[in-house]
């Protein structure tokens, strides 16, 4: 399992999760590793990472930890395969599957046993979440499903959405939320951004963004005439808000430098609240 250092991983979640991205990224990996270890046993799990907290935790649990050479996903997997003294077959699993359950991975591995070489594509069918075989060249990345198929690996289009939903951005996180997150990811979301407001089930996953709520920010710009402006989060990033977001918050005026809590979706503020005044509570 390759896992990027949480300090630099999941950059496309940075706009929504802000300074809490590292904790969220590490939690996603931890849930994935835990599910895999439940299936194969920690002693048969090889974690390739430069993330020290994750490496320390899972080494203590008995996992084999290999330093990430830092040259990309496929090189990390190749480093793991080259370090193994364990007999094959081998399976390379992505480390960003926070909705994964042990039963889903077990089912996929049983299906893979019917083929000398195989892979499970991701939810959109073009990427890869799992590659299995006695020996293989990993070709993860853009267009990896076609690349693995070209190597002769059998494509396993399994009805296992929890396995096939890897998280890279708000939309894929929204899909994972809908499926049900692992405990570490759910706890991280609840703790660092006040949780997520789940989109209606009727909305297409492709157009649904996870709405992070109750993040701290400071009003940076405000135009009283238009009701628009922007806020600065505590990591220094600036997010805009429009008149609709202000009106929906029940606020009349804002001033630069004012502390607020915000709800965020798709890199924009969708609601603002005065610090200390909860959602649905009136200012008297």
């Amino acid at each position: 399992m390759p896992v990027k250092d949480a300090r630099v991983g999941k950059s496309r979640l940075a706009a929504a999760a802000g300074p809490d991205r590292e904790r969220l990224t590490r939690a996603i990996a931890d849930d994935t590793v835990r599910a895999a270890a439940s299936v194969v046993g920690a002693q048969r799990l090889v974690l390739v990472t430069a993330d020290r907290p994750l490496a320390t935790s899972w080494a203590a649990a008995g996992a084999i930890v290999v330093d990430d050479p830092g040259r990309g996903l496929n090189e990390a997997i190749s480093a793991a395969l080259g370090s193994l003294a364990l007999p094959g077959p081998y399976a390379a699993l992505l480390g960003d599957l926070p909705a994964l359950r042990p039963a889903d991975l077990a089912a996929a591995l049983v299906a893979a046993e019917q083929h000398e070489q195989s892979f499970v594509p991701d939810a959109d069918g073009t990427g890869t979440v799992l590659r299995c075989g006695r020996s293989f060249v990993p070709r993860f990345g853009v267009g990896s499903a076609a690349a693995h198929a070209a190597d002769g690996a059998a494509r396993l289009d399994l009805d296992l959405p929890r396995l096939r939903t890897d998280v890279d951005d708000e939309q894929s996180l929204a899909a994972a939320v809908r499926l049900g997150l692992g405990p570490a990811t759910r706890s991280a979301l609840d703790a660092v951004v006040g949780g997520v407001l789940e989109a209606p089930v009727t909305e297409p996953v492709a157009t649904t963004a996870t709405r992070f709520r109750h993040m701290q920010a400071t009003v940076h710009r405000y135009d009283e005439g238009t009701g628009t402006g922007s806020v600065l989060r505590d990591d220094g990033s600036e997010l805009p808000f429009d008149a609709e977001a202000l009106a929906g918050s029940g606020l009349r005026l804002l001033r630069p430098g004012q502390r607020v809590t915000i709800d965020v979706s798709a890199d924009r503020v969708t609601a603002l609240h005065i610090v200390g005044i909860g959602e649905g509570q009136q200012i008297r």
Side-chain angles (χ1 to χ4, degrees), residues 26-48:
R26 190 170 290 120
I28 289 172
D30 192 60
D31 277 330
T32 311
V33 176
R34 192 173 305 279
S38 295
V39 177
V40 302
Q43 294 76 15
R44 297 182 67 85
L45 190 147
V46 184
L47 179 62
V48 191

Side-chain angles (χ1 to χ4, degrees), residues 16-18 20 24 188-196 212-215 262:
D20 303 315
L24 177 60
L189 284 172
D190 288 342
V192 302
V193 294
V196 292
F212 294 85
R213 63 185 178 189
H214 305 328
M215 302 174 71
I262 57 174

Side-chain angles (χ1 to χ4, degrees), residues 12-263:
R12 282 187 284 173
L13 287 176
D20 303 315
R21 177 189 52 77
E22 179 180 337
R23 179 174 178 179
L24 177 60
T25 298
R26 190 170 290 120
I28 289 172
D30 192 60
D31 277 330
T32 311
V33 176
R34 192 173 305 279
S38 295
V39 177
V40 302
Q43 294 76 15
R44 297 182 67 85
L45 190 147
V46 184
L47 179 62
V48 191
T49 188
D51 190 280
R52 289 303 97 200
L54 195 70
T56 299
S57 172
W58 282 101
I64 302 167
V65 176
V66 175
D67 285 334
D68 187 341
R71 297 190 298 273
L73 178 60
N74 290 315
E75 288 76 5
I77 296 171
S78 294
L81 292 172
S83 73
L84 291 177
L86 299 172
Y90 307 115
L93 177 71
L94 293 187
D96 56 359
L97 309 170
L100 181 63
R101 295 177 302 190
D104 301 304
L105 177 58
L109 294 177
V110 168
E113 288 177 354
Q114 310 306 310
H115 307 273
E116 184 175 344
Q117 301 285 339
S118 64
F119 71 96
V120 177
D122 62 8
D124 69 16
T126 62
T128 303
V129 295
L130 179 68
R131 177 70 166 92
C132 302
R134 292 201 168 274
S135 64
F136 55 84
V137 176
R139 302 192 190 279
F140 288 82
V142 177
S144 63
H148 287 139
D151 282 349
R155 180 184 176 112
L156 305 179
D157 284 303
L158 304 174
D159 185 17
L160 297 172
R162 288 174 173 270
L163 169 65
R164 297 178 63 176
T165 302
D166 55 321
V167 169
D168 290 311
D169 53 23
E170 288 185 65
Q171 285 71 30
S172 53
L173 180 56
V177 167
R178 189 175 291 118
L179 291 167
L181 299 171
T185 307
R186 172 58 68 179
S187 177
L189 284 172
D190 288 342
V192 302
V193 294
V196 292
L197 302 174
E198 298 179 27
V201 176
T202 55
E203 293 187 28
V205 171
T207 60
T208 300
T210 305
R211 291 170 286 166
F212 294 85
R213 63 185 178 189
H214 305 328
M215 302 174 71
Q216 295 287 303
T218 302
V219 177
H220 179 56
R221 294 184 294 103
Y222 175 62
D223 185 324
E224 185 176 346
T226 63
T228 63
S230 66
V231 299
L232 291 177
R233 290 188 306 194
D234 291 347
D235 65 345
S237 58
E238 184 176 0
L239 293 178
F241 63 85
D242 56 22
E244 183 179 355
L246 181 65
S249 303
L251 303 177
R252 294 182 181 178
L253 296 172
L254 293 170
R255 68 179 188 278
Q258 183 176 11
R259 289 291 286 175
V260 291
T261 56
I262 57 174
D263 298 349

Side-chain angles (χ1 to χ4, degrees), residues 270-283:
T270 58
L272 304 97
H273 312 283
I274 299 298
V275 172
I277 303 298
E279 187 175 359
Q281 297 178 334
Q282 297 297 314
I283 302 173

